[in-house]
Amino acid sequence: MKTRSFLLAVLTAWSATSAFAAGLEFEVVNDHTNLLYGVGEEATFTVTVRERGQQACDNKERLATKGMVDVVVDNFGPAVQASNRVDLAKGNPFTVKGRLAEPGFLRLSLKAK
């Protein structure tokens, strides 16, 4: 029987509040729709940041083009796998990757600046 690791994208309350205050919305899409991965298998999260309340017009998304997003990937504990700052002027959407060496949970936290 293959051991499975359950990975979950979570926007913490603090992160969601910071995005609201900055006038931004996060959309996180995972490369596995069921969020289940084998131990050691890489998870890829695609993050799209939109201006809050803006509707797409002429089939074009209202992507945020300015601002910074602090990104942290951890295991809901001390094992931080990635921590960086993304400049939305340089790319939106962007991808974040992580993996676990043992069964558990992987958390993606985003904070708008």
Side-chain angles (χ1 to χ4, degrees):
M1 179 176 184
K2 187 173 183 179
T3 304
R4 301 292 291 182
S5 181
F6 181 70
L7 306 180
L8 175 66
V10 175
L11 296 178
T12 63
W14 185 52
S15 299
T17 301
S18 74
F20 184 79
L24 302 175
E25 296 175 337
F26 295 123
E27 177 187 351
V28 179
V29 178
N30 189 266
D31 63 334
H32 285 200
T33 56
N34 65 5
L35 302 176
L36 295 175
Y37 292 84
V39 171
E41 186 177 359
E42 185 172 70
T44 302
F45 304 98
T46 301
V47 179
T48 304
V49 184
R50 291 185 182 84
E51 296 174 15
R52 186 168 41 91
Q54 297 295 323
Q55 298 297 321
C57 68
D58 299 330
N59 296 322
K60 294 182 181 177
E61 294 183 89
R62 295 293 300 187
L63 299 179
T65 57
K66 55 185 170 181
M68 307 293 267
V69 177
D70 288 337
V71 178
V72 177
V73 178
D74 63 26
N75 69 343
F76 281 88
V80 174
Q81 294 192 2
S83 178
N84 63 336
R85 180 170 284 167
V86 175
D87 182 350
L88 296 175
K90 294 182 179 179
N92 183 16
F94 59 90
T95 59
V96 180
K97 298 181 181 197
R99 72 177 76 221
L100 291 174
E102 65 283 326
F105 296 91
L106 189 66
R107 172 174 54 185
L108 168 63
S109 296
L110 304 167
K111 181 180 177 192
K113 292 266 186 195

